Amino acid sequence: MSDFARSVFINCPFDEEFEPILQAVLFCTIYLGFTPRIATESADSGAVRLEKIKTLIAESKYSIHDLSRIQARRRGEHFRLNMPFELGLDYGCRQFSGGEHRAKRILILEEKPYRYQAAISDLAGCDIQAHAGQFATAIRKVRNWLVSEADIRADGATRILAAYEDFQTWYYEQQLAAGFSERDIRDYPTAELLVAMKQWVASDGRP
């Protein structure tokens, strides 16, 4: 059973271009003592994705929703509705479930400020943070939000960023030594990446 008060549901794009931001957010969450919950933490093909997401949302006091892909980038490409849909599920869980879910906290991220208003005008007035597609900025936004909403003391964003870069170097070298190619490393299962991050953080960078 997950710890509701320390769980952070992460809803974001899973494309290769977004991967640096996703990994930075996962690392920052773990560094601060929380447990990231993400749909790709399990590769069970028999699990219905929507049911899995509903469970993750219900089990997490905190949620991070990144809406950076709500706009199509090329002619003929559809914008992605999964992220705003899951944000709606999370908001509904907080509003209508009662009990501990009333204490849920939500961070909404975007690549560009105010762009979301053209797609989801109902979010006007919400405090949405922009990261400009930079993983360092995403770390700063997530760190500051968790410190504020969870009322915790934490290292500064610059130190967390340095730790993340040290982890990435260690992780890359470990994977190459274990016989992984660069392509293997890019396609590494999220569950195993999370284990590596937790081990690295728990050992203060000396696994």
Side-chain angles (χ1 to χ4, degrees):
M1 184 68 179
S2 66
D3 181 357
F4 176 78
R6 306 301 291 184
S7 294
V8 182
F9 172 63
I10 297 176
N11 165 33
C12 67
F14 293 126
D15 57 74
E16 186 174 339
E17 183 181 352
F18 193 83
E19 191 70 21
I21 297 176
L22 169 58
Q23 291 190 13
V25 170
L26 292 174
F27 182 86
C28 182
T29 303
I30 292 170
Y31 187 97
L32 294 175
F34 293 84
T35 300
R37 308 298 308 279
I38 188 168
T40 53
E41 70 182 35
S42 170
D44 180 10
S45 297
V48 178
R49 180 180 176 85
L50 183 55
E51 292 303 315
K52 181 194 303 185
I53 289 169
K54 286 167 54 182
T55 298
L56 294 177
I57 288 173
E59 291 179 350
S60 303
K61 179 176 181 178
Y62 304 96
S63 298
I64 299 170
H65 299 267
D66 194 296
L67 305 182
S68 296
R69 296 294 185 267
I70 59 174
Q71 183 178 54
R73 297 189 169 192
R74 296 181 297 273
R75 182 182 297 274
E77 180 184 44
H78 295 287
F79 55 86
R80 306 182 195 177
L81 295 175
N82 284 347
M83 277 68 75
F85 176 69
E86 292 172 27
L87 168 59
L89 289 176
D90 196 14
Y91 183 79
C93 182
R94 185 174 77 172
Q95 293 297 112
F96 306 122
S97 294
E100 64 182 2
H101 292 119
R102 289 286 189 179
K104 284 173 67 66
R105 294 293 180 265
I106 296 172
L107 171 65
I108 304 175
L109 296 173
E110 235 278 42
E111 181 176 344
K112 300 178 181 179
Y114 311 115
R115 181 177 60 176
Y116 68 91
Q117 293 180 354
I120 312 175
S121 58
D122 285 350
L123 292 178
C126 293
D127 184 19
I128 293 178
Q129 300 293 312
H131 52 61
Q134 303 297 316
F135 68 84
T137 304
I139 283 178
R140 185 174 297 107
K141 299 296 185 181
V142 170
R143 181 263 176 206
N144 292 346
W145 175 71
L146 279 173
V147 167
S148 172
E149 295 302 321
D151 193 24
I152 60 172
R153 295 178 62 87
D155 290 342
T158 298
R159 179 172 294 176
I160 298 173
L161 176 60
Y164 172 64
E165 292 173 342
D166 287 345
F167 165 78
Q168 288 286 44
T169 299
W170 169 83
Y171 174 71
Y172 183 76
E173 292 174 350
Q174 288 291 111
Q175 294 302 95
L176 289 179
F180 289 82
S181 67
E182 292 192 11
R183 182 177 180 181
D184 293 334
I185 295 172
R186 288 196 299 270
D187 196 33
Y188 205 59
T190 303
E192 294 183 55
L193 177 63
L194 290 173
V195 169
M197 287 180 174
K198 291 174 184 177
Q199 290 176 340
W200 195 92
V201 170
S203 61
D204 292 325
R206 297 183 297 273

mmCIF file of all heavy atoms in Angstrom, residues 133-156:
data_model
loop_
_atom_site.group_PDB
_atom_site.id
_atom_site.type_symbol
_atom_site.label_atom_id
_atom_site.label_comp_id
_atom_site.label_asym_id
_atom_site.label_seq_id
_atom_site.Cartn_x
_atom_site.Cartn_y
_atom_site.Cartn_z
ATOM 1 N N GLY A 133 10.909 24.263 -21.453
ATOM 2 C CA GLY A 133 11.546 23.077 -22.012
ATOM 3 C C GLY A 133 12.911 22.787 -21.416
ATOM 4 O O GLY A 133 13.677 22.002 -21.985
ATOM 5 N N GLN A 134 13.237 23.393 -20.270
ATOM 6 C CA GLN A 134 14.541 23.233 -19.633
ATOM 7 C C GLN A 134 14.408 22.393 -18.356
ATOM 8 O O GLN A 134 13.645 22.752 -17.455
ATOM 9 C CB GLN A 134 15.126 24.598 -19.282
ATOM 10 C CG GLN A 134 15.275 25.538 -20.464
ATOM 11 C CD GLN A 134 16.256 24.999 -21.495
ATOM 12 O OE1 GLN A 134 17.329 24.506 -21.153
ATOM 13 N NE2 GLN A 134 15.882 25.096 -22.768
ATOM 14 N N PHE A 135 15.171 21.304 -18.289
ATOM 15 C CA PHE A 135 15.029 20.428 -17.127
ATOM 16 C C PHE A 135 15.498 21.116 -15.839
ATOM 17 O O PHE A 135 14.974 20.834 -14.755
ATOM 18 C CB PHE A 135 15.744 19.093 -17.331
ATOM 19 C CG PHE A 135 17.255 19.163 -17.384
ATOM 20 C CD1 PHE A 135 18.000 19.159 -16.211
ATOM 21 C CD2 PHE A 135 17.919 19.193 -18.600
ATOM 22 C CE1 PHE A 135 19.381 19.208 -16.251
ATOM 23 C CE2 PHE A 135 19.301 19.236 -18.651
ATOM 24 C CZ PHE A 135 20.037 19.247 -17.471
ATOM 25 N N ALA A 136 16.468 22.025 -15.934
ATOM 26 C CA ALA A 136 16.932 22.738 -14.741
ATOM 27 C C ALA A 136 15.817 23.605 -14.167
ATOM 28 O O ALA A 136 15.640 23.680 -12.939
ATOM 29 C CB ALA A 136 18.149 23.594 -15.083
ATOM 30 N N THR A 137 15.066 24.247 -15.036
ATOM 31 C CA THR A 137 13.940 25.061 -14.577
ATOM 32 C C THR A 137 12.844 24.188 -13.988
ATOM 33 O O THR A 137 12.226 24.550 -12.976
ATOM 34 C CB THR A 137 13.379 25.893 -15.744
ATOM 35 O OG1 THR A 137 14.422 26.678 -16.315
ATOM 36 C CG2 THR A 137 12.267 26.817 -15.268
ATOM 37 N N ALA A 138 12.614 23.022 -14.589
ATOM 38 C CA ALA A 138 11.602 22.103 -14.066
ATOM 39 C C ALA A 138 11.968 21.661 -12.648
ATOM 40 O O ALA A 138 11.091 21.570 -11.769
ATOM 41 C CB ALA A 138 11.470 20.898 -14.986
ATOM 42 N N ILE A 139 13.240 21.374 -12.404
ATOM 43 C CA ILE A 139 13.683 21.001 -11.057
ATOM 44 C C ILE A 139 13.373 22.128 -10.074
ATOM 45 O O ILE A 139 12.867 21.905 -8.973
ATOM 46 C CB ILE A 139 15.188 20.665 -11.055
ATOM 47 C CG1 ILE A 139 15.412 19.269 -11.658
ATOM 48 C CG2 ILE A 139 15.767 20.739 -9.635
ATOM 49 C CD1 ILE A 139 16.865 18.856 -11.737
ATOM 50 N N ARG A 140 13.673 23.354 -10.473
ATOM 51 C CA ARG A 140 13.426 24.499 -9.587
ATOM 52 C C ARG A 140 11.936 24.647 -9.278
ATOM 53 O O ARG A 140 11.554 24.880 -8.119
ATOM 54 C CB ARG A 140 13.963 25.773 -10.237
ATOM 55 C CG ARG A 140 13.863 27.013 -9.345
ATOM 56 C CD ARG A 140 14.546 28.218 -9.982
ATOM 57 N NE ARG A 140 15.979 27.984 -10.146
ATOM 58 C CZ ARG A 140 16.567 27.741 -11.332
ATOM 59 N NH1 ARG A 140 15.836 27.721 -12.445
ATOM 60 N NH2 ARG A 140 17.856 27.544 -11.397
ATOM 61 N N LYS A 141 11.091 24.500 -10.300
ATOM 62 C CA LYS A 141 9.652 24.652 -10.088
ATOM 63 C C LYS A 141 9.106 23.564 -9.164
ATOM 64 O O LYS A 141 8.299 23.843 -8.261
ATOM 65 C CB LYS A 141 8.920 24.602 -11.428
ATOM 66 C CG LYS A 141 9.305 25.703 -12.419
ATOM 67 C CD LYS A 141 8.940 27.082 -11.923
ATOM 68 C CE LYS A 141 9.227 28.138 -12.997
ATOM 69 N NZ LYS A 141 8.901 29.498 -12.533
ATOM 70 N N VAL A 142 9.530 22.328 -9.403
ATOM 71 C CA VAL A 142 9.040 21.211 -8.583
ATOM 72 C C VAL A 142 9.560 21.323 -7.159
ATOM 73 O O VAL A 142 8.808 21.119 -6.189
ATOM 74 C CB VAL A 142 9.450 19.865 -9.216
ATOM 75 C CG1 VAL A 142 9.166 18.708 -8.252
ATOM 76 C CG2 VAL A 142 8.713 19.654 -10.526
ATOM 77 N N ARG A 143 10.832 21.661 -7.000
ATOM 78 C CA ARG A 143 11.422 21.812 -5.657
ATOM 79 C C ARG A 143 10.662 22.878 -4.869
ATOM 80 O O ARG A 143 10.265 22.661 -3.716
ATOM 81 C CB ARG A 143 12.895 22.169 -5.797
ATOM 82 C CG ARG A 143 13.618 22.330 -4.448
ATOM 83 C CD ARG A 143 13.682 23.793 -4.042
ATOM 84 N NE ARG A 143 14.294 23.938 -2.723
ATOM 85 C CZ ARG A 143 14.067 24.940 -1.901
ATOM 86 N NH1 ARG A 143 13.227 25.925 -2.233
ATOM 87 N NH2 ARG A 143 14.650 24.993 -0.714
ATOM 88 N N ASN A 144 10.465 24.048 -5.457
ATOM 89 C CA ASN A 144 9.821 25.149 -4.745
ATOM 90 C C ASN A 144 8.381 24.816 -4.395
ATOM 91 O O ASN A 144 7.893 25.174 -3.311
ATOM 92 C CB ASN A 144 9.893 26.425 -5.582
ATOM 93 C CG ASN A 144 11.312 26.952 -5.716
ATOM 94 O OD1 ASN A 144 12.217 26.543 -4.995
ATOM 95 N ND2 ASN A 144 11.522 27.866 -6.659
ATOM 96 N N TRP A 145 7.690 24.128 -5.293
ATOM 97 C CA TRP A 145 6.297 23.770 -5.042
ATOM 98 C C TRP A 145 6.176 22.770 -3.897
ATOM 99 O O TRP A 145 5.349 22.946 -2.986
ATOM 100 C CB TRP A 145 5.683 23.213 -6.317
ATOM 101 C CG TRP A 145 4.291 22.694 -6.144
ATOM 102 C CD1 TRP A 145 3.154 23.418 -5.941
ATOM 103 C CD2 TRP A 145 3.885 21.321 -6.153
ATOM 104 N NE1 TRP A 145 2.058 22.586 -5.832
ATOM 105 C CE2 TRP A 145 2.476 21.297 -5.962
ATOM 106 C CE3 TRP A 145 4.561 20.113 -6.324
ATOM 107 C CZ2 TRP A 145 1.757 20.101 -5.919
ATOM 108 C CZ3 TRP A 145 3.846 18.926 -6.287
ATOM 109 C CH2 TRP A 145 2.457 18.929 -6.086
ATOM 110 N N LEU A 146 6.995 21.723 -3.908
ATOM 111 C CA LEU A 146 6.912 20.721 -2.847
ATOM 112 C C LEU A 146 7.306 21.306 -1.495
ATOM 113 O O LEU A 146 6.712 20.983 -0.467
ATOM 114 C CB LEU A 146 7.789 19.521 -3.179
ATOM 115 C CG LEU A 146 7.173 18.507 -4.152
ATOM 116 C CD1 LEU A 146 8.187 17.436 -4.545
ATOM 117 C CD2 LEU A 146 5.931 17.846 -3.538
ATOM 118 N N VAL A 147 8.318 22.167 -1.477
ATOM 119 C CA VAL A 147 8.709 22.807 -0.220
ATOM 120 C C VAL A 147 7.548 23.631 0.339
ATOM 121 O O VAL A 147 7.270 23.601 1.541
ATOM 122 C CB VAL A 147 9.946 23.699 -0.435
ATOM 123 C CG1 VAL A 147 10.165 24.621 0.763
ATOM 124 C CG2 VAL A 147 11.181 22.833 -0.662
ATOM 125 N N SER A 148 6.853 24.330 -0.546
ATOM 126 C CA SER A 148 5.734 25.169 -0.109
ATOM 127 C C SER A 148 4.524 24.346 0.322
ATOM 128 O O SER A 148 3.968 24.549 1.403
ATOM 129 C CB SER A 148 5.335 26.116 -1.245
ATOM 130 O OG SER A 148 4.154 26.822 -0.929
ATOM 131 N N GLU A 149 4.120 23.400 -0.514
ATOM 132 C CA GLU A 149 2.882 22.678 -0.261
ATOM 133 C C GLU A 149 3.011 21.573 0.792
ATOM 134 O O GLU A 149 2.056 21.269 1.499
ATOM 135 C CB GLU A 149 2.360 22.071 -1.562
ATOM 136 C CG GLU A 149 1.961 23.108 -2.597
ATOM 137 C CD GLU A 149 0.888 24.054 -2.091
ATOM 138 O OE1 GLU A 149 -0.035 23.605 -1.381
ATOM 139 O OE2 GLU A 149 0.976 25.257 -2.389
ATOM 140 N N ALA A 150 4.208 20.964 0.889
ATOM 141 C CA ALA A 150 4.402 19.890 1.870
ATOM 142 C C ALA A 150 5.048 20.401 3.153
ATOM 143 O O ALA A 150 5.251 19.617 4.093
ATOM 144 C CB ALA A 150 5.266 18.783 1.260
ATOM 145 N N ASP A 151 5.395 21.704 3.181
ATOM 146 C CA ASP A 151 5.966 22.329 4.369
ATOM 147 C C ASP A 151 7.213 21.576 4.843
ATOM 148 O O ASP A 151 7.292 21.124 5.985
ATOM 149 C CB ASP A 151 4.925 22.402 5.485
ATOM 150 C CG ASP A 151 5.362 23.309 6.627
ATOM 151 O OD1 ASP A 151 6.203 24.207 6.389
ATOM 152 O OD2 ASP A 151 4.889 23.100 7.764
ATOM 153 N N ILE A 152 8.175 21.432 3.928
ATOM 154 C CA ILE A 152 9.404 20.720 4.251
ATOM 155 C C ILE A 152 10.608 21.647 4.102
ATOM 156 O O ILE A 152 10.532 22.679 3.448
ATOM 157 C CB ILE A 152 9.608 19.493 3.322
ATOM 158 C CG1 ILE A 152 9.700 19.947 1.852
ATOM 159 C CG2 ILE A 152 8.495 18.477 3.520
ATOM 160 C CD1 ILE A 152 10.096 18.850 0.890
ATOM 161 N N ARG A 153 11.704 21.264 4.729
ATOM 162 C CA ARG A 153 12.981 21.934 4.518
ATOM 163 C C ARG A 153 13.735 21.134 3.462
ATOM 164 O O ARG A 153 13.706 19.911 3.458
ATOM 165 C CB ARG A 153 13.781 22.002 5.821
ATOM 166 C CG ARG A 153 13.124 22.869 6.890
ATOM 167 C CD ARG A 153 13.947 22.850 8.164
ATOM 168 N NE ARG A 153 15.279 23.412 7.957
ATOM 169 C CZ ARG A 153 15.567 24.694 8.052
ATOM 170 N NH1 ARG A 153 14.599 25.569 8.321
ATOM 171 N NH2 ARG A 153 16.794 25.129 7.869
ATOM 172 N N ALA A 154 14.449 21.825 2.579
ATOM 173 C CA ALA A 154 15.120 21.115 1.493
ATOM 174 C C ALA A 154 16.316 21.888 0.988
ATOM 175 O O ALA A 154 16.401 23.108 1.138
ATOM 176 C CB ALA A 154 14.137 20.869 0.335
ATOM 177 N N ASP A 155 17.251 21.158 0.372
ATOM 178 C CA ASP A 155 18.380 21.799 -0.296
ATOM 179 C C ASP A 155 17.870 22.709 -1.404
ATOM 180 O O ASP A 155 16.750 22.531 -1.913
ATOM 181 C CB ASP A 155 19.303 20.742 -0.900
ATOM 182 C CG ASP A 155 20.061 19.949 0.154
ATOM 183 O OD1 ASP A 155 20.148 20.426 1.298
ATOM 184 O OD2 ASP A 155 20.543 18.850 -0.169
ATOM 185 N N GLY A 156 18.713 23.648 -1.799
ATOM 186 C CA GLY A 156 18.349 24.551 -2.876
ATOM 187 C C GLY A 156 18.328 23.858 -4.224
ATOM 188 O O GLY A 156 18.919 22.778 -4.398
#
